[in-house]
Amino acid sequence: MTVLTQTAFSQNIQKDNTAILLIEFQKTWTEKGLFRKIIKSEYEKRNILSNTENLLLKARKEGVTLIQAPLILDKKDKNYKKTPFPARLLRRFTKGTWKAEFTDGIYEQTDLVIEGRYGFDATEGSNLEKILRENNIETVFVAGFTTDHCVKETMNSLIEKGFECIMISDCTATKNNKLQKKIENEFSIITSKNLIEKIQ
């Protein structure tokens, strides 16, 4: 497994080969329920939603590719039993319910949305890699939940596939700051403010 030593990403970005990947910015995490309770403290204390909204506003204005990677649980899907057990047990991310909906203020119709995902790793079963390659994406900035599961596993997978991946530190969250910092130390990171400044 490829692991990067934490560095603050400082390069200039090329919009034509750059994407922002949003992992599970869904109401299961941001509205109510047990999953919400898991990240609530860090999510609110670190202003994750407003940071992400500000970043997306700039990114859309400048034409940066935005990719949404929701987890959608559908009992009719052949891979349903491969989806994360806690989500199935607690009936989270259920297709056709608010639990699977995008967090308000995050999604727009111009965003690309992956399909087929069933694992913590957003590339697992999905067309994410295909979307990235079809759009000539080389650098992926990653936001979403949780930092130590879906974000980490997706980043490691994409790095192994040859993409440059950078975590947007203040657009990701997990259950506590100690764990957040531990995972940040494994990757290159950038803040939303710094990324906004680089998108020109």
Side-chain angles (χ1 to χ4, degrees), residues 8 10-11 21 23 28 31 52 76 80 88 146 151 153 169 176 188:
S10 60
Q11 304 169 32
L21 176 63
I23 300 175
T28 279
E31 295 297 317
T52 306
K76 296 179 181 179
Y80 175 75
R88 279 185 281 129
T146 59
V151 171
E153 292 195 22
S169 59
N176 59 57
S188 292

Side-chain angles (χ1 to χ4, degrees), residues 6 86 164 166 168 175 187 199:
Q6 181 189 357
E164 180 179 28
I166 301 94
I168 310 169
K175 61 184 178 181
F187 298 100
I199 300 174

Side-chain angles (χ1 to χ4, degrees), residues 47-80:
N47 300 312
I48 301 299
L49 182 57
S50 61
N51 291 339
T52 306
E53 287 177 327
N54 290 336
L55 173 59
L56 297 184
L57 182 65
K58 176 66 172 181
R60 290 189 177 106
K61 181 179 179 181
E62 298 296 333
V64 176
T65 299
L66 300 181
I67 304 173
Q68 302 280 353
L71 180 64
I72 308 291
L73 270 60
D74 183 357
K75 287 186 176 181
K76 296 179 181 179
D77 192 291
K78 64 180 181 180
N79 290 315
Y80 175 75

Side-chain angles (χ1 to χ4, degrees), residues 15-196:
K15 289 184 291 186
D16 291 344
N17 61 15
T18 296
I20 295 175
L21 176 63
L22 298 121
I23 300 175
E24 283 175 39
F25 258 95
Q26 293 166 268
K27 292 181 179 178
T28 279
W29 287 118
T30 60
E31 295 297 317
K32 59 185 176 181
L34 178 59
F35 280 44
R36 159 70 171 173
K37 291 179 181 177
I38 291 173
I39 67 168
K40 181 180 179 180
S41 176
E42 290 296 300
Y43 180 78
E44 294 182 349
K45 182 170 62 177
R46 299 169 61 235
N47 300 312
I48 301 299
L49 182 57
S50 61
N51 291 339
T52 306
E53 287 177 327
N54 290 336
L55 173 59
L56 297 184
L57 182 65
K58 176 66 172 181
R60 290 189 177 106
K61 181 179 179 181
E62 298 296 333
V64 176
T65 299
L66 300 181
I67 304 173
Q68 302 280 353
L71 180 64
I72 308 291
L73 270 60
D74 183 357
K75 287 186 176 181
K76 296 179 181 179
D77 192 291
K78 64 180 181 180
N79 290 315
Y80 175 75
K81 291 186 177 180
K82 295 181 181 179
T83 56
F85 178 71
R88 279 185 281 129
L89 177 66
L90 298 171
R91 298 179 181 178
R92 302 288 99 176
F93 307 102
T94 308
K95 184 178 180 179
T97 72
W98 66 267
K99 300 170 187 176
E101 293 176 359
F102 290 112
T103 301
D104 293 340
I106 294 298
Y107 169 76
E108 287 193 5
Q109 291 186 345
T110 53
D111 299 351
L112 302 176
V113 182
I114 71 169
E115 297 177 348
R117 176 189 172 197
Y118 58 77
F120 287 118
D121 173 2
T123 71
E124 196 169 16
S126 81
N127 60 343
L128 174 56
E129 183 180 359
K130 180 181 178 182
I131 288 175
L132 292 171
R133 298 206 185 279
E134 286 180 345
N135 286 275
N136 299 313
I137 302 300
E138 298 175 2
T139 302
V140 184
F141 292 92
V142 184
F145 316 112
T146 59
T147 314
D148 55 318
H149 286 104
C150 299
V151 171
K152 175 182 177 178
E153 292 195 22
T154 301
M155 289 185 69
N156 276 326
S157 181
L158 289 176
I159 290 168
E160 289 177 352
K161 296 176 188 298
F163 297 96
E164 180 179 28
C165 283
I166 301 94
M167 181 187 298
I168 310 169
S169 59
D170 58 345
C171 295
T172 61
T174 188
K175 61 184 178 181
N176 59 57
N177 187 61
K178 182 178 179 180
L179 183 55
Q180 175 74 27
K181 294 302 181 184
K182 178 180 181 293
I183 304 304
E184 287 180 10
N185 284 335
E186 298 180 17
F187 298 100
S188 292
I189 63 170
I190 193 170
T191 65
S192 59
K193 180 179 179 181
N194 287 341
L195 183 51
I196 287 171

